[in-house]
Amino acid sequence: MIFQRPPIKILLLLCCSLTFSITVAADEDDSIFNQSLESLMQLETELKAEVGSRSGEKKLLDATTPVDVITSEQIERSGLNGLTDVLRYYIAGFNAPEPSLNDGSDHVRAFSLRGMEPDQVLVLLNGKRMHTSALLHVNGSIGRGSSGVDLDTIALSSIDHVEILRDGAAAQYGSDAIAGVINIILKGMGRKSYVATNGGLRKEGDGAVVHGEAFLTIPMQYDGFINVSMSAERQQQTQRSGKDARLAVPRPVTHFGLPDSSNYRAVINAEVPLRNNMTPYFSALFNKRDSKASAFYRTPNASNLAVYPNGFLPVIHPKITDYNLIAGAKGSLGDDFSWDLSQTLGSNDYHFYVENSMNYALGAASPTSFDNGGSRFIQYTTNLDVHRQFSQWNIAGGLEYRVEDYRLSSGEPASYTASGSQGLAGFSPLDATQGDRNSQAIYADVNFHSGNGTTFEGAVRSERYSDFGSSHNIKLAAATRLGSDWLLRSSASTGFRAPSLSQIHYSNTSTFLDTTTSQFVTAGTFRPDHPVSIALGAKPLKAENSRHLAIGTVYEPNNQLSLMVDYFYTRVNNRIVLSDLFSGATPAQAAILAAYNVKSVSFFTNNISSAKQGVDIRLNAEVIPHDQAKLNLSLWYHYSRTWITGFDDRSFGGINSVKQLDRVLHGQPTNSTWKLLTNYRYGKLNTALNFSHYSGFHQVVGSTPYDFNPMLVTDLDVEYKINNSLKVAVGGNNIFNIYPSRWRGISNTFFGADSIIPTSYYSPSGISGAYYYLRVSVKL
Amino acid sequence: MIFLKFRSALFLLTLLWSTMSCAYENTDKLKVAFMMNVSDFVSGNENNQKKVTIALLNNPFGDIPKQAVAARKAAAAKKRMGNIAKNESAKKQPITFRLIHSLEDLGGLQILYIPKTNLKNLHKILKATRKKNILTISDSLGFAEAGGMVRMYLVDRHIHFIVNLHAARESGLTINSGLLRLAFKIIEGEK
């Protein structure tokens, strides 16, 4: 049931309103041709985006597939400091909860677009593929079993705009473009330098944030520029834990909330046009993050009494270093023929440290701080793109060569010996690994625009990976105008996602003394090519394959009003998931585990196929009541629903079912979202008031999904321009301090309304309540 | 309850639309309007000054130039009747657009727009225009570097421009300070 009762009512109202609007819409006169130059420079042009087509920028409302744009002004007005939060703030269907007590996932947030996994979203920087994080989400957060791009590595002051394509696009961009593509465009020529700072607090008085940023542009003599952006941010933790009933006097001792973190970001973006129609360009991103969050509190017991007589709270303290370099040149060789040659190098290093902990097996001699090892992912990508326009035809093509390298390094022996450091065991030498691969791709993209408002697009891409083989994909799309107001659009495509190197090579095992057998045994996540995994039925990972269909319409009676309605259907076969834990539930499995001296095993496997359908309805209106004032309104509804189309448990004795299916069906926080975004400018005052309504959501504990209530969250930003260079703003996110409802139907030490985790960390608007801030910016 | 609020908001929206003026502009219209304005700030061209002729070396703008000429004529009629809008300039000259395909057609022009599709021959085109006191405008990357005079570009959905004053002076053109004041960057040095 896609359209529930309330949305139908709203749709009918929209239609009535739109019909009425035709009669009152301002006529599109040509007064622009008589306006003064100063007036022209104040006018805004339509939003355009490059993503989704290789034939240049397109007006969003003319695109064959749904595209959204977030501008730099919107980013500034959000009061937020990370791109993950900005996208969650503006995009209905983009979810990014704030996980806590999820080990590494507390520090690199998983996100989903249209309810799909983080690794099923391709992220581009200036149109070039970005690398994913080295972190593999293996705990209970959304995106379990995937490595997504860490969107918070980018200084927001460097971003010109963000384009979000909501359609499969693997036939154009390759692996991962299943749920959509996020294209981050860095600021170019003509921007003003500025410095800005913001800071704020949670309503409870914790979670203080201090953030400073600078954007400096160095104009070159002609069309060239060098832009430098820097930001530094300090965020204190929030504490929303419930009482720990294990204590004699129950009180909150485990940290449940946002981590304590420092983030330093720098971005350089430069272009230097030369006289021979060639423009060399360069961009560099750098991010250093130092973040701390806890594991569950350890109560005093015989194993830790010697070191921590009152118990202890282990602190997981990863250090993350990320950089992305792009160097290239673009130009033209002749009339209508352009080219672009680039080299991209991306690296993410995620290193775990654990503090205030101990290794029980080492007793009083145990260290309290550990180097637990870490993972690193490096990606080199070489691209050659060419484009030629022949009258109404745009033909583009290209080649891509990519090398990927994944390394997992072991920690110090005390971190993995026996059961390892409390809170998080280190990677052992058995886990340490290095894997690499390369891929070659060739692609072509054809676009035909007839004179009567009809556009046809076709794309093909063939890609060969050195490890799992080849994938060939195609996309067809068309858009046609029905009169001057309506546009009908549709697309159909195939896609794929290559298994990530982390899914192929990740291993995290620990060896400990089994008290029942008095033997040392191993347990944990094993590689799919490990003998015990193979004996249990694991097979080499292959690519996920997808099919996409989208049908939509755009109604734009005038340039103040537009309505977009887009239906989508996506089917993904052979989804890669992390299996449940095999601990010998059947005699056959027990025999296999005993033969390898293993206590329990999980591994990655292609064993679920799913389908998803949904709809996005978006109404945009811009109103200029008079010269000094302007009102922008955007009303957006997103709905999606997932179901299982195939599940292969034959190799696993039929027991590996419940958790995997639940995670696919209920593993995303919401399935419907309303957003009403408003922006009112009057003279020097600029106000944004936004409402987000999230449907009820689920979180699975064990094998049971638990329900949480819908939420309505309100954000407000009020900015005053004191003079041409100084702006001051106050605002708040979730200003009415709305929290997710508490657990119902479960009450144990860890999960429950009065337990350590009192509510769900799948909450679409976080678990830390209202945040109020002050922002000051000065143009230089 | 929330849906009642949405319903109210929608009806409010409908009412507001009745008071709307233009919210965003077509980029091509804005570029054409910009070129028409620039002519008011340039002197030194010895061609016919009673009417400004803008030539398009290929036309990426479709019917927009025709609309622009008609709008300018209508404005001239209004001007004669003394009915000028607040944000309209009173000293607009009559404009004509001409589509040209060859550098032999440069006679009688004040302004030449060079689209991205002509980048290959840019140096040859600029050399030809320099001798004829023609102001060159483009929205192509590297245009000012190559010796073009006015480069348009968009930042944050607003039009901005660079003036290569050195190139204009070499062509014997004088650019009024009113235009220079609004330019993002003025290139004055020796190339």
Side-chain angles (χ1 to χ4, degrees), chain A residues 6 10 13-14 17-18 20-21 24 26 29-48 59 61 72 189-191 219-224 271 273-275 277 279 330 332-336 556 559-561 619 621-625 627 630-631 633 635 674 676 693 712, chain B residues 2-3 6-7 10-11 13-14 16-27 29-30 32-34 36-37 41 64 67-68 71-72 75 86-89 92 117-121 123 140-146 151 153-162 164 179 181-182 184-185 187 189-191:
Chain A
I10 297 299
L13 281 165
L14 285 177
S17 303
L18 290 170
F20 181 57
S21 75
V24 298
D29 65 17
D30 290 325
S31 62
I32 184 175
F33 299 117
N34 296 307
Q35 291 190 23
S36 64
L37 198 55
E38 288 93 335
S39 299
L40 291 179
M41 294 182 74
Q42 301 301 317
L43 295 178
E44 277 190 337
T45 62
E46 68 269 54
L47 279 171
K48 291 185 172 183
K59 182 183 168 187
L61 300 176
S72 59
M189 184 181 71
R191 293 284 187 165
M220 310 293 279
Q221 190 182 8
Y222 295 97
D223 290 0
E271 278 188 7
L274 304 177
R275 296 204 68 177
N277 294 336
T279 303
K330 58 188 175 184
S332 60
L333 284 177
D335 291 359
D336 306 333
E556 190 187 16
N559 60 1
Q560 302 104 45
L561 180 69
L619 174 76
E622 294 191 351
V623 184
I624 304 179
D627 287 352
K630 183 177 180 181
L631 174 66
L633 294 152
L635 180 63
W674 281 97
L676 175 62
H693 181 265
L712 176 63
Chain B
I2 183 169
F3 295 106
F6 274 125
R7 197 184 331 198
L10 284 172
F11 282 124
L13 265 179
T14 306
L16 281 168
W17 289 331
S18 63
T19 62
M20 284 188 219
S21 65
C22 199
Y24 72 79
E25 283 299 340
N26 176 292
T27 308
K29 273 189 175 180
L30 189 58
V32 169
F34 175 85
M36 293 166 74
N37 260 281
F41 298 94
I64 292 173
Q67 295 170 25
R72 182 61 66 94
K86 193 164 64 175
N87 60 351
E88 291 182 5
S89 168
K92 302 288 185 189
T117 51
N118 290 89
L119 282 181
K120 182 188 171 190
N121 298 315
H123 293 288
S140 302
L141 179 65
F143 183 68
E145 167 71 32
R151 190 204 155 190
Y153 62 94
L154 293 174
V155 174
D156 239 1
R157 301 166 67 191
H158 290 86
I159 197 160
H160 292 261
F161 61 98
I162 294 171
N164 188 338
L179 185 68
R181 180 174 55 82
L182 297 172
F184 172 72
K185 190 162 52 176
I187 298 159
E190 289 293 318
K191 276 183 64 67

Side-chain angles (χ1 to χ4, degrees), chain A residues 102-121:
Chain A
N102 275 270
D103 296 351
S105 303
D106 293 3
H107 314 278
V108 173
R109 283 163 61 194
F111 62 85
S112 70
L113 182 64
R114 289 182 154 185
M116 306 196 75
E117 301 296 325
D119 55 8
Q120 291 171 332
V121 180

Side-chain angles (χ1 to χ4, degrees), chain A residues 77-151:
Chain A
R77 302 303 312 285
S78 69
L80 301 166
N81 298 320
L83 187 56
T84 305
D85 281 327
V86 169
L87 294 179
R88 181 175 79 170
Y89 189 90
Y90 285 112
I91 304 292
F94 182 94
N95 276 307
E98 295 163 4
S100 183
L101 293 165
N102 275 270
D103 296 351
S105 303
D106 293 3
H107 314 278
V108 173
R109 283 163 61 194
F111 62 85
S112 70
L113 182 64
R114 289 182 154 185
M116 306 196 75
E117 301 296 325
D119 55 8
Q120 291 171 332
V121 180
L122 176 65
V123 181
L124 307 174
L125 180 70
N126 280 351
K128 316 293 181 197
R129 173 182 288 265
M130 279 189 79
H131 60 285
T132 62
S133 167
L135 175 74
L136 186 65
H137 297 287
V138 288
N139 290 82
S141 69
I142 68 160
R144 184 175 189 252
S146 67
S147 294
V149 171
D150 184 353
L151 295 170

